[in-house]
Amino acid sequence: MFRNQYDTDVTTWSPAGRLFQVEYAMEAVKQGSAAIGLRSKTHVILACVNKANSELSSHQKKIFKVDDHIGVAIAGLTADGRVLSRYMRNECINYSYAYESPLPVGRLVVQLADKAQVCTQRSWKRPYGVGLLVGGLDESGAHLYYNCPSGNYFEYQAFAIGSRSQAAKTYLERRFETFMDSSRESLLKDALFALRETLQGEKLTSSNCTVAVVGVGEAFHMLDKETIQALINEFEIAGEEAPAAAPEEAGSDEPAAAPEEGAPADQGAAPMDI
């Protein structure tokens, strides 16, 4: 994207009806390391890729617990994601104190979207440069939402955001019809396979990914490294066979992933992530 006379502040419309500052914030989400989410009738899985700015530093936290029944995975500007996750945590605490019941996932997502929308309509504010995958469980079942910096939100069966997420989306689109009736273990397997697609040849290990689970009778928690590595080892043979199961579809994945590889993702990643 290139600067123009209509992107000096967030309240200026271009003649084409676009808000460039909002689009730049959405572009920041694409520069962050990948995060994915998928759900069944009873469980929601969130997973993300861990990347460090330097070999000498640790990676930034990309998955946050909001409440026992809600968690969030982020891609983009992690500082913004941390602030928004704290806001969500406070909303859950306030609702629980007032009504003595867990905050419904859909209501929290709407409140978060309203907060993001305010930043697109005030000249002294900037849009949040982070996309959030909100996964949770309430009385109506398991839910997975994506909150966009523009203030829009969408509910998904499975979704991926961040750098090279198109490869993961291709895998999820091929498999999503089976997710609703999937078991917890099967969902974890699909989450790891989808996450591996975003690495573009890098080996998936417990040190470069984080996985979190919430479900019926299971509070939101992040799996420890030993559990994740055991799952990777268990599914490693099946993982090699997964692309071969649909060779004609595997061929169609390459064009979808190519734009992400060519995109200047690494150029914008350093200052904001990871």
Side-chain angles (χ1 to χ4, degrees), residues 45 81 154 174 183 224 235 251 264 274:
I45 309 291
F154 309 91
R174 197 165 62 231
S183 64
D224 56 55
F235 299 138
I274 290 336

Side-chain angles (χ1 to χ4, degrees), residues 17-82:
R18 298 165 65 182
L19 292 170
F20 286 104
Q21 287 290 330
V22 176
E23 291 183 20
Y24 296 162
M26 294 166 70
E27 192 67 24
V29 178
K30 298 177 185 177
Q31 304 293 343
S33 55
I36 69 165
L38 53 163
R39 70 179 174 97
S40 66
K41 290 178 181 176
T42 57
H43 287 82
V44 180
I45 309 291
L46 297 176
C48 70
V49 174
N50 299 332
K51 286 187 179 177
N53 285 333
S54 159
E55 292 182 4
L56 302 176
S57 70
S58 63
H59 62 82
Q60 290 280 354
K61 190 176 180 183
K62 300 293 296 289
I63 297 181
F64 300 91
K65 179 179 178 178
V66 175
D67 202 349
D68 284 341
H69 67 298
I70 299 178
V72 60
I74 66 171
L77 191 58
T78 50
D80 284 4
R82 189 175 63 247

Side-chain angles (χ1 to χ4, degrees), residues 113-167:
D114 289 345
K115 186 177 177 67
Q117 192 277 336
V118 169
C119 295
T120 69
Q121 220 172 359
R122 302 286 187 273
S123 60
W124 61 91
K125 293 186 177 183
R126 67 160 175 82
Y128 291 104
V130 65
L132 300 99
L133 288 175
V134 183
L137 194 76
D138 56 26
E139 293 178 350
S140 59
H143 301 279
L144 176 69
Y145 291 91
Y146 169 56
N147 276 77
C148 181
S150 64
N152 285 328
Y153 64 94
F154 309 91
E155 184 166 14
Y156 286 94
Q157 185 68 45
F159 198 55
I161 58 176
S163 173
R164 299 186 180 131
S165 59
Q166 184 56 51

Side-chain angles (χ1 to χ4, degrees), residues 171-244:
Y171 175 85
L172 295 171
E173 285 167 3
R174 197 165 62 231
R175 298 273 301 165
F176 81 95
E177 292 178 351
T178 65
F179 290 165
M180 281 305 283
D181 299 316
S182 291
S183 64
R184 178 183 183 274
E185 288 69 27
S186 181
L187 270 187
L188 283 168
K189 179 187 73 172
D190 284 316
L192 291 172
F193 283 162
L195 206 60
R196 189 184 63 175
E197 295 295 316
T198 69
L199 294 177
Q200 298 292 324
E202 257 184 82
K203 186 174 174 62
L204 180 67
T205 65
S206 60
S207 61
N208 64 5
C209 70
T210 303
V211 181
V213 184
V214 62
V216 175
E218 185 176 12
F220 184 89
H221 68 284
M222 277 165 271
L223 303 182
D224 56 55
K225 286 190 176 183
E226 291 75 17
T227 304
I228 296 173
Q229 191 59 53
L231 287 168
I232 292 171
N233 295 339
E234 182 182 345
F235 299 138
E236 201 162 31
I237 297 172
E240 297 302 321
E241 294 171 354

